[in-house]
Amino acid sequence: MYQKQTLKVNSRHISGINDSKIHVMDKKYIIANWKCTKTIQDCLLWVDKVGPQLTTRGDTEIIVCPPFVALDAVRRRIADEGYVLKVGAQTVSSFEKGAYTGEVSVMMLTDLVDYVLIGHSERRSLMHETNQDIAKQVELCVRYYLEPIVLVRSEDDTIPAGVKIIAWEPVSAIGTGKAIDAETAGEIIEKLLHNGQVRGLYGGSVNQSNIASFIQNPNIAGVLIGSASYESSTFLEMLHALRSS
Ligand code: PGA
């Protein structure tokens, strides 16, 4: 369905993916979720470090998810410099428009992002977002032509209709350094996806040592990276780890 992938870092041919497998695999996603860690300036420094190192053709999509306040600056820098990066929001309001002080709605994001993370476990536990809120956010994203990426902790978290990409993030693995092994993650993701049209990513303590195992797993469509994505140098090390795998 997608073109054969090549990804180069520092002019050296890298592929996150074993070449023999590329033809049977669809697009792979590498998502950097910066959470609440960076100023606008920090975000721009990161993209200026990583962006020039990337040339990509085909089917690896690298998506950065800055805080709302940095979205416009990051998007402009990527466009101006021609970096091969996409932009995602870390969340979105369940409301479309109106008297909801402090909310950022899909209609405000349409010119800024391609993707929206929805239902991160930190949003569910700390901001008390429910499956209903998440379904509403997905519905609004679909209506406004943004691609929702729904994060699920287990099969108790429902995957709303219209979702094409999910990320399975077991709470025990988020920010703990205790990633699930790729084989188990692949099996669980396969079970979570009742619908062949939905792609499943893995998230939770992805780092330089384990990223290749997730990317190479045919049941895993990519990775969602938190802490190991904060530093541009560590992020580049992960891409190099993919190249040498
Ligand atoms: P982590 O975070 O990579 O730091 O475990 C993942 C996430 O919360 O999305």
Side-chain angles (χ1 to χ4, degrees):
M1 177 170 24
Y2 296 99
Q3 278 185 311
K4 177 169 168 159
Q5 167 194 308
T6 54
L7 174 66
K8 291 180 182 179
V9 172
N10 277 340
S11 305
R12 295 171 68 188
H13 185 87
I14 82 157
S15 130
I17 302 162
N18 180 325
D19 275 357
S20 63
K21 291 183 181 165
I22 287 171
H23 66 287
V24 292
M25 297 170 80
D26 293 329
K27 185 181 281 193
K28 294 275 177 174
Y29 300 88
I30 299 174
I31 305 180
N33 175 16
W34 294 336
K35 307 192 184 186
C36 184
T37 67
K38 289 188 188 301
T39 63
I40 297 172
Q41 203 51 37
D42 294 335
C43 294
L44 293 176
L45 284 171
W46 192 104
V47 296
D48 281 338
K49 283 265 165 54
V50 174
Q53 306 287 322
L54 304 172
T55 61
T56 186
R57 300 192 300 274
D59 61 1
T60 293
E61 191 115 296
I62 301 180
I63 304 165
V64 292
C65 299
F68 282 137
V69 292
L71 286 176
D72 191 41
V74 167
R75 180 191 65 86
R76 282 173 197 270
R77 181 63 58 90
I78 288 171
D80 289 349
E81 301 295 332
Y83 297 148
V84 191
L85 288 165
K86 299 278 184 181
V87 183
Q90 297 177 14
T91 184
V92 70
S93 176
S94 309
F95 301 107
E96 184 176 6
K97 184 180 186 176
Y100 305 106
T101 301
E103 290 294 275
V104 174
S105 81
V106 278
M107 48 178 273
M108 302 164 194
L109 292 180
T110 46
D111 295 331
L112 295 176
V113 303
D114 306 292
Y115 297 93
V116 183
L117 303 182
I118 289 182
H120 191 287
S121 71
E122 288 149 15
R123 306 279 326 159
R124 295 177 191 258
S125 63
L126 302 173
M127 281 64 176
H128 312 294
E129 288 186 3
T130 64
N131 277 332
Q132 272 175 326
D133 297 326
I134 285 151
K136 190 76 187 125
Q137 293 166 14
V138 166
E139 186 208 312
L140 287 166
C141 282
V142 171
R143 194 156 10 118
Y144 281 80
Y145 302 103
L146 299 175
E147 191 72 74
I149 300 174
V150 173
L151 282 61
V152 297
R153 300 162 297 182
S154 70
E155 53 197 18
D156 295 337
D157 292 334
T158 46
I159 302 172
V163 171
K164 295 200 204 101
I165 309 171
I166 65 144
W168 176 57
E169 295 209 316
V171 173
S172 66
I174 297 179
T176 59
K178 295 182 183 150
I180 305 298
D181 74 88
E183 198 179 332
T184 309
E187 284 164 14
I188 292 173
I189 287 167
E190 198 184 14
K191 279 196 203 122
L192 284 171
L193 304 178
H194 310 297
N195 172 345
Q197 300 304 314
V198 181
R199 316 282 325 277
L201 282 62
Y202 169 79
S205 296
V206 173
N207 59 32
Q208 304 94 306
S209 330
N210 60 25
I211 187 168
S213 64
F214 295 111
I215 293 287
Q216 285 167 350
N217 189 300
N219 292 326
I220 303 178
V223 288
L224 204 161
I225 311 165
S227 37
S229 77
Y230 299 164
E231 295 296 328
S232 55
S233 55
T234 315
F235 190 81
L236 285 169
E237 279 172 34
M238 284 190 279
L239 297 186
H240 282 290
L242 287 179
R243 180 200 64 211
S244 12
S245 64

